[in-house]
Every structure is written in C-alpha cells, then in structure tokens.
Amino acid sequence: MLGNQFGHFDPTGRVFSITDSRTPIPWVNVICNGRYGLVVSQNGGGFSWLDNSQLNVLTRWEMDLVRDNWGKFLYLADLDAGETWSLAPAPCRAELDFYRCDHTQGATTFVTERRGIRATWTLCVAPDDPVEIWSVELVNRSESARRLRISSYFEWCCGVAPDAKREFHRLFFTTRHDLARRAIVTTKNMWDVPPRNESEHWNRPWPYAAAHAVAGVEFDHELCIADKAMFLGRYGDPASPEAMGAERATTGGFGRFGDAAAAIGGDFALKPGQSVRLRYLLACAPSEREVLSLVDKYSDVGEAARAVEGACRSWQERLAPTQVKTGEPDFDLLNNYWLPYQAISGRIWGRTGYHQQSGAYGFRDQLQDSQVWLPLDPAKTREQILLHAAHQFADGSVYHWWHPLTETGLRTLCSDDYLWLPYVTASYLKETGDFGVLDESAAFVDDPKGATLLEHCRRSLARAAARTSERGLPLIGSCDWNDGLSAVGVGGKGESVWLALFLAGVLGDFAEVYKRVGDSRGAAESLAQRRRLSEALDKHAWDGAWYRCATRDDGRWLGTKENDQGRIYLNPQTWAVLTGATDPKRTEQAWNSVKEQLLGDMGPLLSAPAFTEPDPTIGYITRYAPGLRENGGVYMHAATWALAAACRRKDGATAERIWRSISPPTRCADAEAYRAEPYVTPGNVDGPASATPGKAGWTWYTGSAAWLSRVSLEWVLGIRPTWEGLLIDPCPVPGLGRVDVTRTWRGRGVRVRFDAAAYSAQMPPRLTVNGAALPGGVLSANDYPAGAAIDIEVDWGISTRPVRGVAGRAISGRTAT
C-alpha cells in the first residue's frame, strides 16, 4: 500500500502505520467525539480537552515541532536492570527493539518492545462520554521473570492554554487521592477566561472536576503522585523521572501547595509468557460526583472494552454512507476515510490540530466545513447553519469567530464571513430539498427575538449590497477570504474582485431560493444585482489576460500586469469559472493564465510572483517570507477550488495534474521534502520562491479537507446536487479506472458506476438507470420510495447532439433537465 520510509497505509486505507518515529515533523491524530478530544503524535506528544481546545484544556502542552516532548506519557521500568523507558518514543527516547504507531479514525495504538517486554497501548475516546481511555497490554516475551513498574505522567492545565505563567496558575489547583478508585481528582479555583464583568477577573472558578485513574491490575506497591517535582525529582528530566527509579513506588504530593501533575501506576511481576492488561482513564465533568461516576463506569472491564471497540466502529458507521472504489488508492482512502474524518474530528468538533489550538468557531470556517456532512448526515449541516445564524448581528454582520463556553467573540470588517451563511444554506437546500429550514428561527447576537433563517440570509445579502464602491464592486474591508490582504481596505474604499464573483454566485443561488418560496421580487432583485456585478467585473476588473485581485484604499490595483510582485491571484480566476458570472471568452483566457502562471508540481499557487518586502498598504501577506502560505505558496483550501474549476471547464488533463500535485499520499512519497502527514491535507505548501519548495505544514486545522472531499465527489466524480436534482456529470482523472460510488441522497441509495478511461469531454454522458436507458435522461425520485436503490451506469458514446452548457443528467424529486 502507499507509503514512504517512515510508514505506510494498511490494505484498507483506514490505518496509517508509522514504523520510524523520526518523521520530519510530528505526525498526529486528532481524536474527538464531539466534546472530549485529544491530539497525539507518533512520539506520544499532545494534549486533551473538553468542549474547547483552547479555553478548557486538561493537560499542559507546548508546541515544539523539533522535540515534540510535551504530552501524556506512559513509563515502564525494569526494577532489576535499573532501566526506564516509555511506551511511546517520548519522552525517554530509549532504543526500542520494535516500534509501530497506528493512527486510524478514532484511535491511535503504539506497539513497542524493549528487552523482551512487548507493550500495546491504545488511546481513544469513549463514543458518548467525556472520557479518554488508554488500553494497555504488557507481555513478557523474555525467558526470565521480570519485576516491573508502570506509571502514567502528565501535568494538569485545567483551563486556558497555553498555561505559560505556571508559577501563578499552580496556586489555584487542589488535588486529592481517591484511594479506593486508584484515582487523582483535580479541581482549580481560577479559570482564566475573558471575564463577563470586572469582578470576574481572575475571580472565577474552573467549573469542572477532572480525574485520572488506573484499573485492571493489582500492584504489589502502588504509585500515585500529584506533584511534578515529586515525580521528576529536583531539576528532574521527564526522560528519566526519579520516581521510576526509586527503590519503592511512592504516593504523595496531594493538596493545594504543589505543581499539579498526575502519575499513577505501581509495581508488579511478570513471568515468562505472562501478560497483564490495564486501563487508564482521564475524565472531566461539571462536578466531582459526576467525574467519579465516569471513573466507576469505565473501570468496569466490559464497559471499557466496549468503549474501545465502539470508538473505531462509530467512525466506520459515521463515514459509511458515502464510499468510493476506484483504481487510485490515494483517491479512495482520502475520500472514504481521512478527509471526512479530518474535517469532522479535527475541524468541526475538535477545532484544533498540532499547529493551532483554536477552540473557537470561525463563522465562515466551520460553516464551510459542515458541508462535509451533506452526503453523510445532512441534519448535522442544518444544525451548523442554525448555530452560525445565531451568531449574526441584526445589521447582517457576524462574529469573525466566537468561543463556545464563554460566547466571547471578535467582530471585524472581514467582508466575506457573513456571505457563507446564504452560501451553505443554498448548498444544504440543493442536497436535501428541506426548504422548511428557512422558517426556523434564530436569535441575533444583539436581538434575542431573532428572525427566520431566510431573514438572516437576506440581511447577509443586504449588508453586502450596502458595502459597495461607486464602481459597483464590493468593499474588501479588513480582508476578504484572503486574510493576508489585511490592510488593503481598512480605510473603507478598497475593493475585492473575488468577493464580487463569490457574491454573484450566492445571488444566483438565492434568486432560485426566492423563486421557490414565492418571493418573485427577491428573485428579480437578486438577478439584477448579479448582472450589475458581472458588468462591473468586466468593465473594471479585467486586466487583459486575467481578472485583477483588489484595489487598495488609494485606488491602486493588486493582481495586475503592472505589478512586479503579486501580479496574478488564483481565486478571482477560479471563481470566474465556478460562478459563470463573467464574459465566457475572458473566463477561458483567465483559466489559461492560471495554467500558464500558477500551476506547478506542488499545486496551484495562490499568487505570483511572491512579495519579497513588507508593504504596509497591503497587509501581512507581504510579511511572510517569499513562497510561504498566501505569499506565493500553495494555499490548499484555494487549490481545491482550482480542482473544481478544472472539472467545470471539462479540463481533465489539468484536473489530473492538480490532483496529483496536492494528494498527500502521493506527495509524501518523498517524505523528507513534503514533511507533513501523508493521510491528511495541509493548510499550505511552500511555493517555488521558498528555500524549501514543496514543504507542507499546518495540517489538520484547515478547511481544505472538507472542500477536497466535496470537490472529489461533486466535481471529479460528478455526483452533484443542483436545484433540479442530482446531476451525474463526471470529469474523472483517467487513472481512476473503473469507478463505483455509493452515497445516500434524500433517503435513497444511489450507486454510480463508470469507466474513467472512457471519459470524453466532447460527449455528454449517457445514463442507464436500474438497467433501463433513459431517453432524454429524466429520472424522477418520486418514482422510488425512500430507502430504494438507484443504480446508475454512465458511459460516453457517439452522439451528434451538441453539448450546451453543463453536460449531464438530473435526478429530481420535482423536475428534470
């Protein structure tokens, strides 16, 4: 299976096995059940949280891409040999006779062996409770009896991360020993979140209790330590903690006067061939009573075993509704497992990765991410839409981001945030036909009475219409989607070309929404506004071979041939293709400019050439080193839109080139150059102006996962919900070979099969449904009850019928095209 010198995928594609822990940067897993989550690297580094991965972090952690030496550790000591090692590489870095780290959806397992002691350590989260479970098995594979000591170890954070001012924060902890449960219970008298009023500054308790416990084995001598210095020793090193080498296991350090940590374990013996199983628990709940109830529940052997088994099974069930089988393993494993898992576990639920502990909901971020639910469980997209609607202000503006738990947020002049509400609402309506959602009520931040979702969307569109320049182009404000353009329009005059195109697309969709809810005036106004935007774009934004990017407050253009740096930008060109809002000949020319100036072996660049010196009139995009992130790098989120644009253009050769240039398993074949994990998408890849072109970074916490999943299904495979129904219109990469896709659509099982090698851009696809040809290609979903199977074969035969617009066939519950 696909792999490199550090590891490989298993035959199913669900598991990536790391066999050499010295990966170029930490390769991690983000495991979350919607509330409780953890990040764990191949070394054992990482942290845990509940509900908010920045404001309610349970265990201390510090990002270190070189050492990866902060985490929750599990030690083993051979008491006779006087040796201590860790069951993952960190922190001891002992020479291991065997090592493997398996990352999969919902769990990470370390299998290590040293001096005849084989250890298997699985970390997961209970599917339905805020409990982290470590399942540990130790086997004596040597020929002699062994006296061993095992202990966990981590430091408590219990609040806002990073916990940098430790001498201050340690003053508020209380730890106690629950001897009967072999548990450490921890509370904290201060929660350093933004205060609701002046009296709450450093004067608000952490509203939870946490517990760490061990079960499953009787120790000859127990170790239970709640103070960092007592476990490590004075000036001690986590690589060789004093308590692990002591003559006898010790207990102590509880109360209010130490540096709160947790280490639990003890001494035991293993005969040759003998094994022992342990369960470590880490739990958090609103009270001591509740957290100890969780400890009691999961200390039970059967309950813990069911939870470990259910952790992975729940992900298999969650991702099962959409499955892809092709001749390209990377395409299948990404789309079946890793892309939706990354988007759900890392972005929507965890809102974190190794590279960023966010914890917050980005208004546009998680709203876009929620589209990953559409083919899996569209009700989850519905929930996300209504959640974000409730974080809009009455004037149509929104929080740029807000924190759950505290409901504190940041309100900015970012100009695209609020438009993603109508955009994703339209996507949900195309998928489900559930127009009833438009009548659902949601409050405004500054008006609890609120309004319907339809009215929330109207106010977003009205705000955009009001924020328009004299030339009819939208004002960019403090940025558009490209955050790096942070100074272009802060004076209130700068314009955004991409925003004009994006808005035109949303207006086109909402003209249809208004039409379907009986608002003919709203439909007409939306179409008229779209026409005005199209005219303004072709009049003012065309640069001769591509569309410009933006104007600064002083009227100077960015993204024009007159610029030595930042001459062309990707997004205006791709969205001209995706929206069809501009002159077709100019759109074609703009797409050719993308292929000539922005496409490369590492993916489509967001802009080129890169800036080499800071320009305070443009923003922080110019402050990056050349070739990094927005400044002449590959921004993977935007790269997925380029892939969609290639498919929209029926440009199969370019679609294949883009896919192969951005597919992590393919790119990571040269792991030293690519550096990042091969199983999830990065946020960015260095461009040619960088000293390390092709180096990927900022994995997990990126919107590219949900978008690549959606683009793969809807544009490459061409199974795309539209207003008329489900359009089957592939533009496949030829190497996909025989394609077999199953997905659920409006309660019906849809299976689509075709041979990618037979695809022809010049011929419209011919559809056969349940064995019968469809003259005219019309299929009404009303002909099939909910739960029925719809089997579709696609081929491209000889046809004299001219191709107009988008080729394809529609499956519709109402009308057909």
Side-chain angles (χ1 to χ4, degrees):
M1 197 61 171
L2 291 166
N4 52 52
Q5 68 266 44
F6 298 102
H8 56 83
F9 291 95
D10 80 336
T12 70
R14 289 193 182 100
V15 179
F16 190 85
S17 295
I18 300 169
T19 53
D20 180 348
S21 66
R22 294 176 65 84
T23 55
I25 60 175
W27 288 4
V28 312
N29 197 358
V30 180
I31 303 170
C32 188
N33 66 6
R35 294 195 62 207
Y36 189 104
L38 65 96
V39 173
V40 59
S41 77
Q42 86 288 353
N43 288 310
F47 58 95
S48 301
W49 72 89
L50 175 67
D51 289 331
N52 191 310
S53 54
Q54 183 180 151
L55 300 187
N56 194 29
V57 178
L58 302 184
T59 63
R60 287 190 81 201
W61 177 76
E62 180 180 311
M63 185 195 306
D64 192 319
L65 295 175
V66 175
R67 295 180 299 171
D68 188 25
N69 61 343
W70 279 76
K72 296 164 295 180
F73 304 131
L74 200 51
Y75 296 91
L76 201 62
D78 185 320
L79 298 178
D80 292 322
E83 293 183 346
T84 297
W85 66 95
S86 43
L87 300 193
C92 295
R93 304 287 178 183
E95 190 71 29
L96 296 171
D97 299 319
F98 180 85
Y99 163 85
R100 191 179 76 237
C101 172
D102 293 339
H103 288 318
T104 190
Q105 298 81 51
T108 287
T109 298
F110 294 96
V111 182
T112 58
E113 186 169 333
R114 178 173 167 84
R115 297 178 59 86
I117 304 298
R118 172 65 64 105
T120 303
W121 173 22
T122 296
L123 298 90
C124 68
V125 177
D128 302 311
D129 282 315
V131 178
E132 179 178 336
I133 302 170
W134 302 354
S135 176
V136 184
E137 181 182 27
L138 301 173
V139 182
N140 183 358
R141 292 157 59 101
S142 73
E143 297 179 355
S144 59
R146 311 290 286 275
R147 290 195 313 122
L148 303 171
R149 176 176 298 159
I150 190 170
S151 181
S152 59
Y153 175 73
F154 58 83
E155 297 177 52
W156 293 108
C157 176
C158 299
V160 179
D163 184 3
K165 300 181 179 67
R166 188 62 175 183
E167 173 58 20
F168 177 69
H169 281 275
R170 73 171 187 84
L171 305 176
F172 302 98
F173 285 100
T174 300
T175 58
R176 74 171 184 85
H177 186 194
D178 190 313
L179 182 62
R181 293 180 171 90
R182 291 195 292 185
I184 296 172
V185 181
T186 301
T187 56
K188 192 177 182 184
N189 285 332
M190 196 272 287
W191 191 21
D192 191 20
V193 294
R196 291 169 294 195
N197 52 62
E198 190 171 352
S199 68
E200 286 191 341
H201 179 58
W202 290 344
N203 194 29
R204 183 177 178 182
W206 184 57
Y208 302 92
H212 181 47
V214 66
V217 67
E218 292 299 322
F219 296 117
D220 299 328
H221 304 286
E222 292 196 7
L223 183 154
C224 193
I225 297 173
D227 177 65
K228 180 178 180 177
M230 186 174 180
F231 183 75
L232 296 182
R234 185 176 297 178
Y235 299 106
D237 187 343
S240 55
E242 185 176 279
M244 292 303 296
E247 183 175 344
R248 183 180 176 124
T250 57
T251 295
F254 299 95
R256 299 183 62 179
F257 302 99
D259 192 346
I264 301 180
D267 300 346
F268 61 100
L270 277 185
K271 298 176 182 178
Q274 188 179 5
S275 64
V276 64
R277 294 177 181 270
L278 304 89
R279 292 177 307 284
Y280 279 92
L281 306 174
L282 178 55
C284 185
S287 68
E288 278 197 47
R289 179 185 61 80
E290 291 169 279
V291 81
L292 290 175
S293 176
L294 291 170
V295 169
D296 291 341
K297 177 179 178 180
Y298 288 96
S299 291
D300 177 79
V301 175
E303 192 67 37
R306 284 188 292 273
V308 172
E309 179 185 352
C312 293
R313 187 180 63 249
S314 66
W315 277 104
Q316 293 175 20
E317 294 171 353
R318 191 171 288 123
L319 304 181
T322 299
Q323 288 293 294
V324 176
K325 294 181 182 179
T326 75
E328 292 286 359
D330 64 326
F331 192 87
D332 295 359
L333 64 88
L334 286 173
N335 285 291
N336 289 335
Y337 311 119
W338 289 100
L339 292 176
Y341 175 66
Q342 177 183 356
I344 296 167
S345 188
R347 278 280 289 194
I348 300 174
W349 286 352
R351 300 183 300 284
T352 193
Y354 189 102
H355 303 83
Q356 179 180 358
Q357 283 178 268
S358 170
Y361 284 107
F363 192 93
R364 58 183 175 181
D365 295 339
Q366 278 69 38
L367 201 46
Q368 290 177 76
D369 297 330
S370 74
Q371 294 175 112
V372 77
W373 286 115
L374 290 174
L376 301 173
D377 185 357
K380 293 286 199 304
T381 308
R382 191 185 204 267
E383 293 173 9
Q384 199 76 37
I385 289 169
L386 294 172
L387 174 67
H388 286 245
H391 290 83
Q392 181 185 43
F393 293 83
D395 66 357
S397 64
V398 299
Y399 279 131
H400 189 58
W401 53 257
W402 80 92
H403 273 292
L405 297 185
T406 64
E407 288 299 307
T408 52
L410 177 67
R411 194 177 180 186
T412 74
L413 292 176
C414 179
S415 56
D416 73 309
D417 284 338
Y418 44 89
L419 286 173
W420 289 103
L421 181 63
Y423 179 91
V424 176
T425 298
S427 297
Y428 171 79
L429 294 174
K430 292 176 196 176
E431 174 68 40
T432 65
D434 173 24
F435 280 79
V437 72
L438 297 174
D439 297 323
E440 292 285 341
S441 182
F444 294 106
V445 176
D446 53 350
D447 181 2
K449 185 173 70 173
T452 64
L453 175 61
L454 181 60
E455 179 60 23
H456 278 266
C457 292
R458 283 186 197 272
R459 296 197 189 189
S460 294
L461 293 168
R463 178 173 177 82
R467 293 175 55 78
T468 303
S469 72
E470 294 180 357
R471 296 193 293 193
L473 294 173
L475 299 177
I476 193 171
S478 56
C479 64
D480 58 14
W481 174 90
N482 190 336
D483 287 347
L485 302 175
S486 56
V488 170
V490 290
K493 295 182 179 180
E495 303 158 313
S496 168
V497 173
W498 170 80
L499 187 62
L501 290 158
F502 178 53
L503 177 56
V506 177
L507 287 166
D509 275 334
F510 256 74
E512 186 66 26
V513 172
Y514 290 138
K515 176 183 174 183
R516 291 180 180 237
V517 299
D519 184 354
S520 57
R521 180 178 177 181
E525 288 178 349
S526 293
L527 290 175
Q529 187 180 353
R530 176 184 164 97
R531 283 193 296 271
R532 289 193 294 271
L533 282 169
S534 297
E535 291 167 1
L537 284 162
D538 281 324
K539 182 176 182 181
H540 301 294
W542 182 246
D543 200 53
W546 60 81
Y547 285 96
R548 297 165 178 152
C549 174
T551 60
R552 286 175 266 208
D553 283 323
D554 63 8
R556 289 181 293 161
W557 278 101
L558 301 177
T560 169
K561 59 181 178 291
E562 306 302 324
N563 299 142
D564 293 331
Q565 300 175 347
R567 187 167 57 244
I568 180 173
Y569 288 74
L570 180 64
N571 285 353
Q573 324 317 320
T574 56
W575 280 79
V577 173
L578 292 172
T579 62
T582 54
D583 178 87
K585 291 184 178 179
R586 289 182 171 181
T587 301
E588 180 178 9
Q589 195 170 358
W591 180 243
N592 288 335
S593 295
V594 168
K595 294 193 288 185
E596 292 167 4
Q597 301 196 42
L598 294 174
L599 292 193
D601 293 339
M602 62 213 57
L605 303 177
L606 187 63
S607 62
F611 294 99
T612 57
E613 297 293 337
D615 185 335
T617 69
I618 296 175
Y620 73 77
I621 184 175
T622 67
R623 297 184 182 277
Y624 287 119
L628 305 190
R629 293 178 67 86
E630 293 100 323
N631 186 23
V634 177
Y635 210 90
M636 196 59 65
H637 189 150
T640 68
W641 294 340
L643 178 60
C647 295
R648 173 89 183 218
R649 293 286 308 169
K650 298 300 181 185
D651 189 346
T654 302
E656 180 171 23
R657 183 183 180 191
I658 292 173
W659 173 265
R660 299 201 186 287
S661 71
I662 66 175
S663 168
T666 301
R667 289 295 316 285
C668 201
D670 184 355
E672 290 292 357
Y674 185 73
R675 298 181 65 82
E677 297 100 322
Y679 44 89
V680 290
T681 56
N684 52 269
V685 176
D686 286 9
S690 167
T692 53
K695 181 181 75 173
W698 206 278
T699 54
W700 284 96
Y701 196 75
T702 162
S704 59
W707 268 109
L708 188 55
S709 174
R710 186 178 182 193
V711 168
S712 295
L713 185 63
E714 295 189 7
W715 289 99
V716 178
L717 301 179
I719 307 170
R720 187 164 64 256
T722 69
W723 292 115
E724 290 73 32
L726 191 64
L727 183 69
I728 311 300
D729 181 33
C731 181
V733 172
L736 294 179
R738 288 294 304 175
V739 175
D740 191 337
V741 187
T742 56
R743 65 149 298 180
T744 302
W745 180 70
R746 299 191 185 185
R748 295 158 179 83
V750 177
R751 182 182 185 187
V752 178
R753 290 175 289 172
F754 59 85
D755 184 355
Y759 167 72
S760 171
Q762 286 70 45
M763 300 294 175
R766 300 188 308 189
L767 272 63
T768 304
V769 180
N770 291 355
L774 277 186
V778 177
L779 174 67
S780 172
N782 289 336
D783 293 338
Y784 299 86
I790 303 173
D791 197 335
I792 304 170
E793 287 272 5
V794 185
D795 66 18
W796 291 268
I798 302 299
S799 174
T800 57
R801 182 165 57 87
V803 181
R804 294 189 178 89
V806 178
R809 299 291 186 271
I811 303 168
S812 173
R814 301 180 184 175
T815 61
T817 57

